[in-house]
Amino acid sequence: MKKILSLLFLSLAFAYFKAQTFSSSNLPIVIINTNGNNIMDDPKVAVDMGIIDNGPGNINTIGDPFTDYNGNCGIEFRGNSTQGFDKKNYSIELWTNLGADTSATLLGLPKEEDWILHASHVDKTFIRNALSYNIWREIGYWAANTKYVELVIDGDYRGLYILMEKNKRDNDRVDIAKLDADDNLGDSLTGGYIIRMDWPEGDGFFSNFNAQDGSPLYYQYYYPKSTKITNPQKTYIQNYLQTFENAVYSGNLQNLSTHYLNYIDLTTFADLFIINELSRSVDAYKLSSYIYKDRIDNGGKLKAGPIWDFDLAYDNAAYCGG
């Protein structure tokens, strides 16, 4: 026990010393200058961001030229309960000098405008998300790619972070049809959609059936987001999910015309079940959980994923069987 406490003390002392003296790393360094703007929950505020990445095997040092990205972006806090932590998660949107959205590749990841700086506050190993997303990609699906970085804001070293892609409809992310405001009839109305199961807040609807905790799941409109989805689109995806749920709960599995397999891609749900149970994720199936649906002419069935938020998985929680 004495040896363990000594190692813990040395580890904490090293972390404190590094935080006070940080100047270089073998990891890329993300440097943000807020120009006096206060980062908040909403809306995003304009900041400057640069990334120093001198390549594999080379040391990155504060003061080196920005080699990967050097430009503007909007930044805000992200998350629900995590906003109460000292170490914050951030949502990043790349902007032009005039404040318009722009896309760029960051650290070799596919070009996009929306990114996340994940603090991994409750997962001190920094492994759980990266491991889970890698498993999901190895199975054959898209999951957020990740890069470890050091973060400095206004000259203050904020620690190790994970730069990751945001769950989003995109050719290089969730590759489903784009749904515009005028897609309200016929096949164009049938996709694509991304729905998130999460806390009952924001625009969405409840399931007609209770989940394992005795209360119904809440489905949030994620794509199109609540400010853009039209009423016909809301009606379509809500009816589709309710029809699927009715088929599951009907108990009539002999009638193939009304069978629940008419509405979902079963393999994706089976694979989601496997990774959630393998990891013992306490948020599984009810929080930070996603399903998506493409147009009928692209297959059209509801699919599980992309997976998200495994900080409290792999024996990192003492509730919900974790």
Side-chain angles (χ1 to χ4, degrees):
M1 178 61 73
K2 184 180 293 185
K3 184 177 181 180
I4 293 175
L5 291 175
S6 297
L7 289 173
L8 178 60
F9 173 79
L10 288 173
S11 176
L12 292 173
F14 175 78
Y16 174 80
F17 178 76
K18 183 179 181 182
Q20 302 305 309
T21 63
F22 177 78
S23 62
S24 64
S25 175
N26 62 324
L27 295 175
I29 303 174
V30 176
I31 297 179
I32 291 174
N33 185 352
T34 66
N35 302 309
N37 293 320
N38 291 322
I39 301 174
M40 60 188 75
D41 179 23
D42 187 62
K44 293 181 176 70
V45 297
V47 300
D48 299 326
M49 183 174 77
I51 299 178
I52 302 169
D53 181 22
N54 294 321
N58 296 315
I59 296 297
N60 304 299
T61 302
I62 298 292
D64 287 347
F66 296 138
T67 56
D68 189 87
Y69 181 82
N70 183 12
N72 304 100
C73 68
I75 188 172
E76 65 184 357
F77 298 133
R78 66 169 279 114
N80 289 309
S81 58
T82 55
Q83 289 203 27
F85 299 152
D86 291 334
K87 191 179 182 186
K88 308 294 187 185
N89 294 322
Y90 299 99
S91 180
I92 301 288
E93 186 175 72
L94 304 184
W95 290 349
T96 66
N97 292 336
L98 299 178
D101 297 349
T102 187
S103 296
T105 177
L106 299 184
L107 299 176
L109 300 181
K111 190 175 183 180
E112 240 290 346
E113 65 190 45
D114 292 306
W115 303 86
I116 290 168
L117 285 166
H118 185 68
S120 198
H121 182 84
V122 299
D123 175 19
K124 308 306 182 189
T125 70
F126 284 80
I127 291 174
R128 288 175 170 87
N129 275 320
L131 171 65
S132 301
Y133 300 162
N134 186 66
I135 292 173
W136 196 241
R137 288 193 299 271
E138 288 292 319
I139 294 174
Y141 307 112
W142 178 85
N145 286 287
T146 60
K147 295 286 185 178
Y148 292 103
V149 300
E150 311 275 14
L151 178 62
V152 176
I153 299 181
D154 291 337
D156 180 26
Y157 175 62
R158 301 299 178 92
L160 178 64
Y161 270 74
I162 306 175
L163 174 71
M164 62 174 62
E165 296 173 298
K166 178 182 178 181
N167 281 352
K168 185 179 180 181
R169 191 218 69 84
D170 185 275
N171 291 342
D172 291 315
R173 297 189 182 180
V174 183
D175 189 9
I176 54 176
K178 190 173 186 293
L179 195 60
D180 294 317
D182 58 354
D183 290 324
N184 296 307
L185 293 171
D187 187 64
S188 64
L189 177 62
T190 65
Y193 296 91
I194 304 175
I195 296 293
R196 178 170 62 189
M197 285 81 80
D198 216 317
W199 300 105
E201 57 190 27
D203 197 8
F205 56 97
F206 284 99
S207 167
N208 288 332
F209 300 91
N210 289 335
Q212 67 267 39
D213 66 348
S215 59
L217 287 176
Y218 188 71
Y219 296 112
Q220 296 177 352
Y221 301 117
Y222 187 80
Y223 177 82
K225 57 186 177 182
S226 60
T227 56
K228 292 187 175 182
I229 191 169
T230 67
N231 286 330
Q233 291 164 3
K234 288 181 179 181
T235 299
Y236 173 82
I237 192 61
Q238 183 172 352
N239 286 343
Y240 190 96
L241 279 167
Q242 288 177 345
T243 302
F244 159 60
E245 289 187 330
N246 289 339
V248 171
Y249 280 90
S250 70
N252 182 12
L253 301 182
Q254 306 304 315
N255 188 343
L256 297 184
S257 65
T258 60
H259 199 282
Y260 69 83
L261 291 181
N262 294 324
Y263 306 101
I264 67 166
D265 182 322
L266 181 62
T267 301
T268 64
F269 281 83
D271 288 336
L272 181 74
F273 180 86
I274 290 171
I275 194 168
N276 278 331
E277 298 305 312
L278 170 71
S279 66
R280 303 191 70 138
S281 173
V282 297
D283 287 337
Y285 316 117
K286 61 184 184 297
L287 297 175
S288 299
S289 296
Y290 294 81
I291 50 179
Y292 63 98
K293 183 187 181 302
D294 210 343
R295 287 183 180 176
I296 293 297
D297 61 1
N298 290 335
K301 289 187 177 181
L302 197 67
K303 296 184 178 182
I307 65 169
W308 191 251
D309 197 2
F310 281 69
D311 279 0
L312 292 173
Y314 305 101
D315 201 30
N316 199 28
Y319 58 93
C320 289

